Amino acid sequence: MAMYQQQRAGINAASRLSYAAVLKKDFRKNKFIYLMGLAGIAYYVIFKYVPMYGALIAFKNYIPTKGIMGSPWVGFKHFIDFFNSYYFIRVLRNTLLINLYELLFAFPAPIILALLLNEIRLTFFKRLVQTVTYLPHFVSMVVICGMIVDFSQKAGLLNTIIAWFGGEKENLLLNPDLFRPIFIGSGIWQGVGWGSIIYLAALSSIDPQLYDAATVDGANRWQQMRHVTIPGMMPTIVILLILQIGGMMNVGFEKIILLYNPQTYETADVISSFVYRRGILEANYSFSTAVGLFNSAVNFMLLIVANRLSRKINETSLW
Amino acid sequence: MHRSLGDKMFDVCNIIILSGLTLITLYPFLFVLFSSLSTPSELVKHSGILWKPLGFYLEGYKLVLKNPMISVGYQNTLIYVAAGTALNVFFTSLFAYVLSRRDLYWKNHMMMLVVFTMFFGGGLIPEYILVKNLGLLDTRWSLILPGLIATWNLIIMRTSFQSIPYELEEAAKMDGASDWTVFWRVILPLSVPLIAVMVLFYGVAHWNAWANALIYLRNRDLFPLQLVLRQILIQNDTSGSTNLSSDSDPFLGEVVKHATIVVATVPILILYPLIQRHFTKGVMVGALKG
């Protein structure tokens, strides 16, 4: 913040008005607006910036009775403990693998669905597909996971289908090898329809004349798709890809802790679920804050790198 | 227009693929519905796909509706959805209005500080400690205040407010309207569709939320429905309900579980056709600042 103030001050010095004077004038003129903004500012300061300050406990031994300020500093001890622990490789690998698979399978799925839906001429059928595929997005995660748990049981629906194809019946959620496929697959099942909306919106803004021109040039439907439709979607795809890569280290713990169990920790435990278990359940506040902070820092760097790359390649960027 | 054989093949394949997807998406819900209505003994004997309920059995539903945990959860969720959404929408639109004022000197600085929070945060534990230090642990506020303004929604509203012609405000100000009056009487009435979308987004989020409740609440009387569902569906814990006595049908549990899913999902399914037409609009406004 101080930096911005200095920059502003510099600009204003040039216009021969001191920063304080500008601010005062602005304040007087917009007194009432500032008053209206008070709640919003308070919200962001208290619920967003205070926790950032609270993340300092990653470098301390947080003792609740002494508070954040009063607790003793320990430097990078918790980070080093984490890096040296058996869990570091495990949760890092799981987090990155789940994200990599999502990037490979879950990310393209809504794009493909949007392309297919776009080619449908029967309005009724298109509506039907859309209505049905959007639906699971609105069903709560707990219910979805409840269904997954139920279908994965030995006598469950999924096992029935597996048995048809000659497979062996087992409780699928107790098998560590199956955790990732179940996690990613159910995620696609739940999100593909909803995810396609934004691409359909992008498609609807493509100039129809481009298609006419392509037809005149003798392009068939595949060629139209390749040379008109996909380039038209590209900016949207790139922005969402940046966001996805920027979130590479984030796997929300909600679905993980609903589906995992000690037998599958080996493949299922990710950074956020580890933070939840260590921090909330075992009250290792400082240690799990350090783990969380490591996660945020890596994430933030990934976002910056992805954004810079796409600006270079594509001239599309978040900022 | 002449359509080649390739075109026709493409169409046929496309329709088959999309029909398959539709079926795969819909069937699990139908399966749950059918088995919730089936007689437990029949259901156990049956193996494979269900195409209709096996018998017509309402005992499962009776047990679910009598379960005190479910009814308390339902009531709590209604409170969180109503109060939470109202506060969310009010404070988000109020702050969005402030940030959309073009003559406000500080607005870009504030905006930067707001957007930064989308990419960096303190993390789970510092947030928990904050809520604890504020004395919100085990209160309903813990599910409402920490998520009062969703930054993404704030940006959407701000962008939309900025596109309202400035002349309208100027005219109102000429007539002696204060900033508050402009917000309340000019901006909000012009943004009704946007507000409907916000109510939809925040409302659905509150209806489905459970993670904050898991972290911040110990008192079962405050649990939202989703947390109750987690105990029943995931942890297989029906201890909160005395209805499942040991001498009842041993397979009743399955039917009760499926009935629970239906009871907990029906409100969304009823609202769904009503809110569906707003989805695309919601995502479209979201894409404004994509």
Side-chain angles (χ1 to χ4, degrees), chain B residues 23-174:
Chain B
L23 196 67
I24 290 172
T25 311
L26 198 58
Y27 184 72
F29 295 108
L30 289 178
F31 178 86
V32 169
L33 178 68
F34 294 157
S35 67
S36 74
L37 289 166
S38 297
T39 321
S41 51
E42 292 274 325
L43 188 64
V44 166
K45 269 187 279 171
H46 181 86
S47 109
I49 301 283
L50 280 177
W51 293 114
K52 59 177 176 45
L54 304 167
F56 185 73
Y57 183 78
L58 290 176
E59 205 57 33
Y61 284 96
K62 277 187 199 149
L63 285 176
V64 171
L65 294 177
K66 267 193 289 182
N67 184 336
M69 271 166 68
I70 299 239
S71 52
V72 168
Y74 242 107
Q75 284 165 22
N76 285 329
T77 289
L78 290 179
I79 293 172
Y80 299 131
V81 169
T85 307
L87 291 169
N88 285 144
V89 173
F90 177 74
F91 283 105
T92 308
S93 51
L94 184 66
F95 200 37
Y97 171 70
V98 171
L99 292 174
S100 72
R101 297 305 73 208
R102 65 188 67 195
D103 50 352
L104 199 64
Y105 185 66
W106 266 79
K107 67 173 192 297
N108 288 336
H109 301 176
M110 282 201 267
M111 205 56 212
M112 262 173 159
L113 292 174
V114 163
V115 171
F116 181 65
T117 64
M118 288 175 83
F119 301 110
F120 200 83
L124 183 67
I125 308 301
E127 280 165 25
Y128 170 78
I129 291 173
L130 170 73
V131 169
K132 196 174 161 188
N133 289 344
L134 289 174
L136 299 179
L137 230 49
D138 246 341
T139 67
R140 293 193 197 278
W141 289 112
S142 67
L143 302 194
I144 294 174
L145 287 180
L148 191 65
I149 298 177
T151 303
W152 189 250
N153 292 347
L154 179 75
I155 294 174
I156 292 172
M157 290 199 100
R158 173 180 180 260
T159 314
S160 164
F161 289 167
Q162 277 174 338
S163 67
I164 294 173
Y166 193 60
E167 288 72 31
L168 282 172
E169 277 167 57
E170 268 187 333
K173 288 239 167 110
M174 292 283 231

Side-chain angles (χ1 to χ4, degrees), chain A residues 12 23 43 49 131 140 150 221, chain B residues 105-106 113 146 226 258 272:
Chain A
N12 288 316
L23 197 61
Y43 170 76
Y49 282 90
T131 304
S140 76
D150 189 65
R221 266 162 92 177
Chain B
Y105 185 66
W106 266 79
L113 292 174
Q226 301 298 334
H258 290 140
Y272 189 72

Side-chain angles (χ1 to χ4, degrees), chain A:
Chain A
M1 237 164 83
M3 208 179 68
Y4 300 137
Q5 285 178 5
Q6 277 166 11
Q7 279 177 359
R8 278 289 174 178
I11 293 161
N12 288 316
S15 61
R16 298 192 181 176
L17 250 173
S18 83
Y19 182 70
V22 173
L23 197 61
K24 218 169 166 184
K25 203 171 138 222
D26 186 53
F27 223 69
R28 206 171 301 142
K29 197 174 93 194
N30 294 313
K31 227 179 344 192
F32 206 70
I33 295 235
Y34 279 108
L35 203 66
M36 285 167 75
L38 220 54
I41 295 169
Y43 170 76
Y44 274 93
V45 170
I46 295 173
F47 285 100
K48 300 288 177 180
Y49 282 90
V50 168
M52 283 186 212
Y53 159 75
L56 270 185
I57 64 168
F59 305 96
K60 292 187 162 212
N61 255 344
Y62 179 66
I63 300 160
T65 49
K66 287 192 177 167
I68 296 166
M69 258 319 46
S71 301
W73 291 97
V74 295
F76 284 92
K77 177 181 174 294
H78 299 297
F79 290 89
I80 293 165
D81 283 354
F82 175 52
F83 297 147
N84 286 332
S85 77
Y86 157 72
Y87 299 102
F88 174 60
I89 296 294
R90 188 173 87 176
V91 296
L92 189 64
R93 187 191 61 212
N94 289 342
T95 307
L96 289 176
L97 275 180
I98 284 185
N99 263 295
L100 197 68
Y101 291 140
E102 284 200 324
L103 211 56
L104 284 177
F105 301 109
F107 185 77
I111 301 175
I112 296 167
L113 178 61
L115 286 172
L116 293 180
L117 277 171
N118 192 48
E119 297 293 329
I120 293 284
R121 305 274 140 82
L122 294 160
T123 319
F124 161 78
F125 182 68
K126 191 172 167 181
R127 285 262 165 76
L128 176 79
V129 176
Q130 286 182 292
T131 304
V132 172
T133 53
Y134 296 171
L135 186 63
H137 175 83
F138 287 88
V139 176
S140 76
M141 193 58 91
V142 176
V143 166
I144 297 282
C145 290
M147 285 164 67
I148 297 171
V149 168
D150 189 65
F151 294 160
S152 307
Q153 282 168 0
K154 226 169 173 168
L157 184 63
L158 280 171
N159 268 312
T160 310
I161 295 168
I162 288 170
W164 280 355
F165 291 97
E168 195 124 325
K169 286 195 178 189
E170 59 168 334
N171 187 328
L172 306 174
L173 282 174
L174 293 180
N175 183 344
D177 294 334
L178 291 179
F179 186 84
R180 287 183 202 125
I182 292 176
F183 185 88
I184 308 281
S186 60
I188 294 176
W189 176 81
Q190 193 184 1
V192 66
W194 183 252
S196 71
I197 296 183
I198 193 157
Y199 297 110
L200 284 169
L203 285 178
S204 66
S205 65
I206 296 175
D207 187 351
Q209 287 184 359
L210 290 174
Y211 287 103
D212 296 341
T215 315
V216 170
D217 289 344
N220 65 26
R221 266 162 92 177
W222 276 112
Q223 287 164 332
Q224 287 183 22
M225 205 188 256
R226 266 191 54 202
H227 298 288
V228 181
T229 312
I230 293 180
M233 288 166 96
M234 223 44 205
T236 312
I237 295 177
V238 170
I239 295 273
L240 293 181
L241 192 65
I242 301 173
L243 286 174
Q244 174 91 10
I245 293 174
M248 269 297 263
M249 295 286 283
N250 279 352
V251 180
F253 71 93
E254 292 204 12
K255 196 173 163 193
I256 299 275
I257 67 171
L258 287 173
L259 291 179
Y260 79 173
N261 52 61
Q263 270 116 310
T264 51
Y265 280 178
E266 181 195 333
T267 55
D269 199 17
V270 295
I271 295 183
S272 61
S273 55
F274 184 65
V275 169
Y276 166 76
R277 252 193 354 268
R278 280 306 179 83
I280 302 291
L281 299 183
E282 295 170 25
N284 282 328
Y285 294 143
S286 283
F287 177 75
S288 49
T289 303
V291 176
L293 202 58
F294 162 74
N295 190 39
S296 307
V298 176
N299 224 349
F300 196 56
M301 283 189 296
L302 280 173
L303 183 75
I304 290 172
V305 170
N307 193 52
R308 192 157 295 170
L309 271 180
S310 95
R311 197 163 9 175
K312 239 180 211 156
I313 300 167
N314 222 306
E315 291 171 358
T316 314
S317 71
L318 270 182
W319 58 79

